[in-house]
Amino acid sequence: MDQKKAEELIRRLAAALRGTELYSPSHPLVQRGIDAFTTAATERLQSSPHVVIGFIGDEVVVDGMRLPRGTASLIGFARDLRDRGIEKVTLSRGLSRAEVGNLLSVFGDRASHVPLPDRLAAKGVRNVTLGRIVVDEVSDEQAGIAAARRVYSAAVETAESLWNAAKAGDQPDPAAARKIIDGLARLVTQDRTSLMALTALKKYDNYTFTHMVNVAALAMAQARSLNIEGPLLREFGFAALMHDIGKVHTPLDVLNKPDKLTSDEFKIMKRHVVEGAHILRRTPEMPALAPIVAFEHHLKQDLSGYPENIGSRRLNLCTMIVSIADVFDALRSNRPYRQGLATARIRSIMGEQGNPAFNQILLKRFVNLMGLFPVGNLVRLSGDELAVVTAEHPTDPFRPQVKILTDRTGAMIEEPVLANTWERDSRGEHPYAVVEAVDPESVDIDPLKFL
Ligand SMILES: [Fe+2]
Ligand SMILES: [Fe+2]
C-alpha cells in the first residue's frame, strides 16, 4: 500500500470516529463516515488478508509503514487510542460495513468501563481485533522533538553565520541558507507541531538569530497551510529568514536600545528595509522575492508604515505572511525591555479592530493554525497546577491534552501525569481545565523537556 493510501485510510478512520462522537448513529455524516472507511479498508483487504494499524508513541503505523507526523488530529487520535489501551487494530478480510459501524460505536462510547475487546466481541465484530504492540523501545533518531530540536539549533547557528557574513560586507552563503530552509521545509511538512513548539522558546540572548529562524518557520507554516509547497515554499522561507538582514547596518546602540527610540534613532532604524533589499539583490541565488519582502515588511496594508512615500502598491502575499510572523515572534520573545507576551494577549493586540498592519484574513488563519494553546505551551490548570500542552484536541481548541508537571503549590511532581482536559468525570464534569498560558521562564521550567 502506498503512503497516500495508508494516510487516507487513517484519515477516514479518524473522521468517522469523530463523527460518531459528535452525532447520533443515524446522522448522515456518521453513515457517510462508515461508508468511506469501509470502502478504503475493503479495497486494501483485497490485496492482503490483514491490515495492521499500530500506534507507537505519537505515530501511526500502517502495515509497518510509519505515516508522516505532523497533523495535530492524527497525533490526538493516536494518543487517544493509546491512552485507552489500544496500540494495535487489526482488520481482517471479510470486514463488513456493519462491523465497522459497531467498531466505531464501541470506540465512541467512552462511558463504558467494559474493556474494548470484550465489547467488540459482544457486538459480534469478528474481523477486527484490538491489541497491544510488543516492540523494543523505538529510538528513531530521525523522529520527534529531539530531531526537530537539532534541525532548529543548526538553523539558528547558520543564521548567525549568514548575519555575520552580511555584516562583514561579504555575501551570505546561499548554500548554508538553503540548508536551513530545507530542514525547516521538511519539519513544516512532517512535524509542524515540534517546530512550532520550538519557536515558542523565549530567549533573548541570541534573539536576532532565533528571530530569523522563527519568522522563517512561522511564515513557512502559514504558506504550507495555504497549500504552498515545493520551490515556492522554499522561496517564502528564504524571504522570511532574511527579512531583517538590513539591520546588520543598524548601529548596535539603536538596535538594542532598551527604551523608546528617539525620532532620529527611529529614522536610522527604518533604513533596514532598504538596506536589506540592497543586500539581498546582490546575494547570488537569492530568490527575487527576498528583496521585495525585506523592502515591504513594515509597510502595512494601507502603506502607512515605512519606507514612506512609495506611491501605490500591492503588497506581496509573502510580505503579508512575513509581517504576521514577524510581529508575532517579536511580541512573544523576551526582550531586554520587556517579557514576552502570552499568545492570547498577542492575538488581541494583532487582531485589534482596523489594525492596518495585517491582512485580517491571513491573521485569522494564522490564529487557527497556531491553536489557542499550541503544543509545547506551558499552561496553568483550574486547580493551579502547571502543565505542558502535549496535543491539541482535533475540534476543541480550549481542551488540549496536557502533561501535568507540578502540584497546586507549584512543586514539580515526580511522575508527570497525562490528562485529556476534554474528558468528563462520572458526574459529567471536566476535572481539568486550562486557564491560561504561562511564560516558562517566569517559573523556570522548560516545557519542551516533557514532550
Ligand atoms: Fe524589520
Ligand atoms: Fe523582524
Side-chain angles (χ1 to χ4, degrees), residues 211-228:
H211 179 65
M212 290 171 75
V213 173
N214 287 351
V215 172
L218 294 167
M220 290 170 86
Q222 291 179 78
R224 192 66 196 78
S225 84
L226 294 168
N227 273 329
I228 293 169

Side-chain angles (χ1 to χ4, degrees), residues 207 211 215 243-244 247 272 297-298 326-327 330:
Y207 171 74
H211 179 65
V215 172
H243 74 281
D244 266 340
K247 285 188 179 171
H272 81 274
H297 77 276
H298 288 287
D326 183 24
V327 174

Side-chain angles (χ1 to χ4, degrees), residues 159 162-163 207-216 240-242 245:
L162 293 174
W163 179 274
Y207 171 74
T208 304
F209 319 119
T210 52
H211 179 65
M212 290 171 75
V213 173
N214 287 351
V215 172
L241 183 75
M242 308 301 275
I245 196 72

